[in-house]
Amino acid sequence: MASEWVSKPFREWLAQPLKNGLTRPKAVRGAGVKMVNMGEIFAHDIIRDIEMDLVPVTDNEAAFYLQSGDLLFARQSLVLSGAGKSVIFLGTEPTVFESHLIRARPDKKTVDPKFLYYYFASPIGRQKIFSIVEQVAAAGIRGSDLANLELSLPPLPIQHQIAAILSAFDDKIELNQRMNRTLEQMARAMFKSWFIDFDPVRAKMRGEMPEGMDAETAALFPNEMEEVDGREVPRGWGYAPFDSRLVIFGGGTPKTSNPEFWGGQIPWYSVVDVPSDGNIWVLETEKTITDKGLESSSTRLLPVGTTIISARGTVGKVALTAVEIAMNQSCYGLFPRDGSSINFTYFSTLAAVEELKRRTHGAVFDTITRDTLKSVFAVVPPISVMAAFEERSSGWTQLILNHCHESARLAHLRDALLPRLLSGEMDVTEWGGQP
């Protein structure tokens, strides 16, 4: 019951005082232990063992290592809604955190770290954070204000039950994401084998049957290579600018000061809507626009199956549209002229991004323009080979889409339960820790 809840400042729910992270210039990164940056904070809600920057850490900086159950808060954000954004760290590998973040280490004798994470993800917790946000050049919070926030929490056994209920949703979503990453890796591996390494062709040149391929599919590949514009490609295949087989769409932003343009039924994509690793499909977006908003700007509805690539800001992020969608001017939409090679276009775009990274020796490139897309050359296989790839890869990408739909439904249900559970409105004593 809510009458049993205890109210005290956030700092008194913690095992240690709040702590800011390490400063590490980009020039010294690349080796050492993992470090959580702002990018991970805004890309994830739960941080497990994922790829991150590596940084050197000295013996006297041991206090900056994270423990499973630590919460991290963004000290600053360019947008008001991002200030104070919180995540929970559940990783198992040695990891530190950067200076734009605040670490909170819950006292597990009095508070369940997962419950605290869900608390700050709920409307109740977000409102608490918004009450201490300051906005000068950028929105931000101070650790001293965060420490003094008054939190009213239920007894620990109730916290455990609520955390278990909500974690069941997130665990299934995480399982879907793991399966999706595996499925995407399988599709990427096939694309690389067929269209970059030309494994089926090279196998036939050796007089062998291409591995894992039936005779009908193998017959689509030649048994020799030839040189086209200085590049060795399978005989009969082309080699052309990346954009030569694509329709390229630009985006736009309706006037933000006009409320008639915003909050409608049309998803409006920006880089904040990039799917998490492996999920690849965009089902919904943070912001939506109206029909009037669509008509008033240079954006347009992209067909289902359009590949979106971010061209400015966070450059080179790639996604596939699962619904008709509009996008902002920081992205390009890429759609195959034949209207059918959806997966080929998506994986070709990933390969083009890798090529751009190689050109800059792994550094971040500033922007992508139409000329950039024209400057990258790619192999052009026969339609029959692209169709075979589409057929074989579509089972994997469709399964990824199914998982994305399921995860979206689970997330909506979790978010609907969140405020009711964390306000004490729902009695969880009879739930048994399962949704």
Side-chain angles (χ1 to χ4, degrees):
M1 296 178 59
S3 59
E4 301 172 348
W5 291 30
V6 175
S7 182
K8 55 186 180 182
F10 184 35
R11 65 178 182 276
E12 295 185 19
W13 294 103
L14 303 179
Q16 298 178 7
L18 295 172
K19 188 173 185 64
N20 294 343
L22 288 167
T23 299
R24 286 292 182 271
K26 288 191 180 294
V28 304
R29 301 184 186 190
V33 303
K34 290 184 173 182
M35 182 170 73
V36 181
N37 294 305
M38 292 287 279
E40 285 78 45
I41 293 294
F42 290 106
H44 303 274
D45 295 315
I46 299 173
I47 295 182
R48 305 181 193 269
D49 294 329
I50 58 175
E51 289 188 11
M52 305 181 207
D53 274 351
L54 299 179
V55 299
V57 178
T58 64
D59 291 341
N60 61 3
E61 293 174 326
F64 293 95
Y65 280 97
L66 294 170
Q67 296 179 7
S68 183
D70 284 351
L71 272 64
L72 293 169
F73 295 82
R75 292 173 58 198
Q76 292 179 324
S77 174
L78 294 177
V79 294
L80 184 64
S81 60
K85 201 264 188 182
S86 60
V87 303
I88 186 169
F89 176 78
L90 297 179
T92 61
E93 301 169 343
T95 307
V96 294
F97 61 107
E98 64 134 323
S99 59
H100 291 93
L101 307 177
I102 302 172
R103 183 187 67 195
R105 179 160 293 164
D107 181 355
K108 295 179 182 179
K109 297 190 297 293
T110 61
V111 67
D112 185 315
K114 287 186 178 179
F115 176 90
L116 206 53
Y117 155 70
Y118 287 117
Y119 177 91
F120 282 109
S122 73
I124 300 168
R126 291 304 298 157
Q127 189 57 46
K128 290 279 188 181
I129 292 294
F130 288 152
S131 71
I132 62 170
V133 171
E134 298 177 343
Q135 194 157 16
V136 187
I141 61 171
R142 292 186 295 184
S144 57
D145 293 331
L146 180 62
N148 290 325
L149 280 181
E150 196 76 12
L151 272 56
S152 180
L153 307 183
L156 190 58
I158 300 297
Q159 293 181 37
H160 290 327
Q161 285 183 285
I162 292 174
I165 291 166
L166 296 171
S167 291
F169 291 101
D170 281 328
D171 289 345
K172 175 55 179 169
I173 292 171
E174 171 63 21
L175 176 60
N176 285 346
Q177 289 175 334
R178 289 202 302 272
M179 290 190 291
N180 284 354
R181 284 193 289 270
T182 299
L183 291 165
E184 189 200 17
Q185 287 166 5
M186 292 165 64
R188 281 199 193 205
M190 177 183 285
F191 181 89
K192 183 174 184 291
S193 174
W194 286 24
F195 304 115
I196 296 177
D197 297 333
F198 310 124
D199 290 332
V201 178
R202 299 188 189 283
K204 293 179 72 172
M205 290 171 66
R206 297 191 299 269
E208 302 169 359
M209 174 65 78
E211 185 177 353
M213 186 176 288
D214 59 75
E216 183 180 358
T217 306
L220 300 174
F221 291 84
N223 60 3
E224 56 184 320
M225 305 286 286
E226 65 180 354
E227 188 173 297
V228 177
D229 295 332
R231 159 113 181 192
E232 191 181 36
V233 300
R235 179 167 292 279
W237 291 24
Y239 189 58
F242 172 72
D243 67 344
S244 62
R245 49 172 298 277
L246 300 174
V247 178
I248 300 180
F249 304 115
T253 302
K255 194 172 183 179
T256 56
S257 59
N258 191 331
E260 291 186 344
F261 295 163
W262 296 91
Q265 299 300 312
I266 302 171
W268 184 78
Y269 180 95
S270 68
V271 73
V272 300
D273 301 304
V274 172
S276 55
D277 289 347
N279 285 343
I280 78 176
W281 294 97
V282 182
L283 304 180
E284 53 192 1
T285 55
E286 183 178 285
K287 294 181 180 180
T288 59
I289 60 175
T290 62
D291 289 332
K292 287 184 177 180
L294 183 69
E295 295 164 2
S296 75
S297 73
S298 58
T299 192
R300 56 159 294 166
L301 279 181
L302 303 175
V304 173
T306 299
T307 294
I308 298 179
I309 182 170
S310 57
R312 288 186 289 278
T314 305
V315 178
K317 297 296 183 180
V318 183
L320 266 172
T321 61
V323 295
E324 287 190 329
I325 204 168
M327 65 180 180
N328 74 1
Q329 64 273 20
S330 295
C331 304
Y332 289 115
L334 312 176
F335 195 76
R337 292 186 187 277
D338 64 13
S340 62
S341 50
I342 302 298
N343 291 344
F344 182 84
T345 298
Y346 174 79
F347 290 104
S348 292
T349 305
L350 292 177
V353 170
E354 291 303 313
E355 172 61 24
L356 290 171
K357 287 180 179 178
R358 283 192 291 272
R359 289 185 188 181
T360 55
H361 307 289
V364 177
F365 37 99
D366 298 314
T367 186
I368 292 175
T369 66
R370 290 176 184 264
D371 286 341
T372 308
L373 298 176
K374 192 181 297 293
S375 73
V376 178
F377 277 66
V379 68
V380 182
I383 293 175
S384 59
V385 178
M386 284 195 288
F389 175 78
E390 208 69 18
E391 181 180 358
R392 295 189 62 169
S393 63
S394 62
W396 296 324
T397 55
Q398 181 60 49
L399 191 51
I400 291 173
L401 180 57
N402 294 345
H403 290 156
C404 289
H405 278 298
E406 181 184 40
S407 294
R409 288 193 296 269
L410 290 170
H412 285 308
L413 181 55
R414 177 203 62 204
D415 293 345
L417 286 172
L418 198 59
R420 301 182 66 190
L421 289 170
L422 295 176
S423 66
E425 180 184 342
M426 296 184 70
D427 183 1
V428 300
T429 56
E430 298 180 0
W431 282 46
Q434 295 295 326

